[in-house]
Amino acid sequence: MASSNIVDMDPDVARRLFEEGATLVLLDVPLGTELGIDCKSWQVGPRFKGVKMIPPGLHFLHYCSANSPSCGGEIGPKTGLFVTLKPKDILLARWDPKEEDLDFSPSQDEEEVSRIRANLQDLDPHLGPYPYEVIRKWVSLTDRLSEEVAKNLQPLSGRICAFSDVIPEVQLTHTKDRAEQPRNDTACQSMKEGLEKLPRMKPREGTEFRFSVIPEKKYPAGATPEQITQCSLDQSYALESVLEKNHQLQPLNLLGEMQFAFVCFLIGNVYECFEHWKSLLSLLCRSEEAMRKRKELYLGLIGVLYHQLGEIPPDFFVDIVSQSNFLTSTLQDLFQFASGPGVDGTLRKRAEKFKAHLTKKFRWDFDADLDDYAPVVVELPEGVTVD
């Protein structure tokens, strides 16, 4: 880990961080491990024992174990966790070679932490400085994400893993149970047949994200066909349901959930989080009535998106098969609704500026192929028919 960024840091900031900053003491991390905090990562060298001068607040620690160079040096999947650090905090962990993971239980040993604190001066040459050059970016990506929201969303295991830890839904522990299962030694005649023969898997308990559940049916129970169509065109009912169930006291925490999902995808490499981010964005952008009622939520959404979209290549959202761009079609709805009647003037102007910014930066055309009368396919409740 290089310390060149300390040289470029304002002396007063460096002094304040040295005196008030938190310290991550990470012992026995294997040589070659890819380790990072927030938006920066490094390969661990032979002298590495942690990170110092960390600004207080919420941070994302992430790492990938690596085989030794003699065994090929391959990097494993990424693991991450959110940590909240107070001024002068010391968070202590040791590498567990069996689990290939950091073990933070030493932080619970007050004597051990006190010993580390007393010897911090001796440890200092082995501690890399926090990459202060990325602090602005990190804050811009997490300014709506509180410690409480991050804690409530991350898996109970406390670990955010790039690859899901899954187990079979049905545990076939006995030979008799396995013998009763369909044989898989014949060639499949179709993809469908092949998928049906695969065992059904589920996430291992404690590894699931605890995201808000977005209802598949965007309309209330007992809705008429006319109401179903209206709730599909304007998804405010579904959005209000999500807010009431998950963020009733602090609706703006939904933006924190968006930032959590985005960080876990961008830095943690978790594709499931990208899909959830897309679902939240789609729901927010297609809720016309909510846009009229919840000015602060939508002003915040534009600010969140401004910083997030600066981190992703413009062609990232283009579907390889259809060449359609999820983002332009979704934001098209946002900008169309924001220019409609009853929308707060400040929000309308902010949306217009954001649209102009994206058009200039990415050359996206939000006015192409607008068709207010395009058919919308909706799913009717069981037993309801349209004559």
Side-chain angles (χ1 to χ4, degrees):
M1 293 176 64
S3 58
S4 60
N5 58 322
I6 270 194
V7 177
D8 302 328
M9 193 185 299
D10 179 273
D12 290 334
V13 173
R15 190 181 307 109
R16 189 166 66 250
L17 283 176
F18 185 77
E19 294 171 353
E20 300 293 327
T23 304
L24 277 173
V25 178
L26 308 173
L27 304 177
D28 304 328
V29 180
L31 189 69
T33 298
E34 185 179 295
L35 183 140
I37 185 168
D38 301 340
C39 305
K40 187 92 170 182
S41 61
W42 314 266
Q43 274 202 320
V44 167
R47 302 177 63 214
F48 174 81
K49 290 187 179 179
V51 184
K52 62 183 177 180
M53 301 171 67
I54 305 172
L58 186 71
H59 297 280
F60 187 62
L61 176 67
H62 45 98
Y63 43 90
C64 308
S65 59
N67 289 333
S68 65
S70 60
C71 296
E74 293 92 351
I75 299 289
K78 186 172 285 189
T79 299
L81 66 152
F82 283 91
V83 294
T84 301
L85 300 170
K86 297 181 176 63
K88 301 183 181 180
D89 257 0
I90 291 179
L91 190 60
L92 173 62
R94 287 184 184 276
W95 186 261
D96 183 335
K98 184 179 178 183
E99 297 294 330
E100 293 191 327
D101 197 0
L102 286 168
D103 174 14
F104 285 88
S105 60
S107 282
Q108 308 304 316
D109 186 337
E110 291 184 11
E111 282 189 22
E112 179 73 359
V113 173
S114 296
R115 187 183 65 79
I116 291 289
R117 189 180 297 279
N119 295 318
L120 212 50
Q121 198 69 37
D122 296 332
L123 267 178
D124 190 72
H126 304 276
L127 302 175
Y130 178 86
Y132 193 72
E133 71 272 16
V134 303
I135 188 64
R136 285 182 181 275
K137 180 193 290 189
W138 174 247
V139 170
S140 72
L141 292 176
T142 57
D143 61 332
R144 301 279 182 168
L145 179 58
S146 66
E147 175 188 5
E148 181 184 10
V149 171
K151 186 177 180 180
N152 290 339
L153 294 174
Q154 71 180 1
L156 290 172
S157 67
R159 294 295 189 274
I160 292 161
C161 302
F163 289 106
S164 299
D165 185 2
V166 295
I167 57 174
E169 286 186 358
V170 180
Q171 299 287 338
L172 305 175
T173 53
H174 301 291
T175 304
K176 179 177 176 293
D177 297 331
R178 292 192 292 271
E180 292 173 355
Q181 296 302 303
R183 294 177 63 88
N184 289 335
D185 55 356
T186 56
C188 297
Q189 302 303 310
S190 66
M191 174 69 78
K192 182 181 178 183
E193 181 187 348
L195 291 173
E196 286 174 350
K197 286 187 176 183
L198 291 173
R200 294 187 180 276
M201 309 298 284
K202 64 178 181 180
R204 189 180 297 278
E205 188 175 354
T207 66
E208 312 99 319
F209 287 95
R210 293 174 290 164
F211 288 133
S212 300
V213 176
I214 298 174
E216 289 185 21
K217 295 179 179 179
K218 304 293 193 291
Y219 48 84
T224 65
E226 182 182 1
Q227 289 171 326
I228 292 169
T229 300
Q230 178 57 35
C231 288
S232 299
L233 292 168
D234 176 1
Q235 297 183 10
S236 296
Y237 173 81
L239 174 59
E240 294 297 335
S241 299
V242 168
L243 290 172
E244 183 178 350
K245 187 172 182 181
N246 302 277
H247 303 294
Q248 186 175 19
L249 298 178
Q250 294 287 344
L252 296 185
N253 280 347
L254 188 66
L255 301 178
E257 184 169 343
M258 274 191 76
Q259 290 187 327
F260 177 96
F262 189 81
V263 164
C264 289
F265 166 66
L266 181 72
I267 303 175
N269 301 341
V270 185
Y271 185 74
E272 174 191 348
C273 294
F274 176 56
E275 288 298 319
H276 185 67
W277 179 84
K278 284 169 58 180
S279 297
L280 287 177
L281 180 60
S282 178
L283 182 63
L284 282 160
C285 289
R286 294 183 170 125
S287 297
E288 184 176 10
E289 179 63 28
M291 201 175 298
R292 290 193 285 265
K293 287 171 51 182
R294 295 187 177 276
K295 164 191 167 184
E296 295 302 324
L297 179 64
Y298 281 88
L299 284 172
L301 174 64
I302 290 172
V304 165
L305 286 175
Y306 175 84
H307 293 292
Q308 289 180 341
L309 299 188
E311 300 302 317
I312 291 183
D315 59 351
F316 180 84
F317 294 94
V318 177
D319 185 274
I320 295 173
V321 178
S322 67
Q323 289 298 299
S324 63
N325 188 320
F326 158 80
L327 204 57
T328 53
S329 61
T330 304
L331 292 178
Q332 202 171 42
D333 291 327
L334 174 72
F335 296 139
Q336 186 182 2
F337 289 152
S339 64
V343 174
D344 176 81
T346 304
L347 176 57
R348 182 184 293 110
K349 289 178 182 176
R350 188 77 58 85
E352 287 171 357
K353 285 186 176 181
F354 186 47
K355 178 181 175 182
H357 164 75
L358 294 177
T359 301
K360 181 180 179 181
K361 183 171 183 178
F362 297 123
R363 298 186 179 180
W364 289 337
D365 186 356
F366 295 103
D367 298 317
D369 301 320
L370 265 179
D371 185 357
D372 296 342
Y373 303 101
V376 176
V377 179
V378 298
E379 182 184 344
L380 295 175
E382 194 173 330
V384 173
T385 58
V386 179
D387 296 329

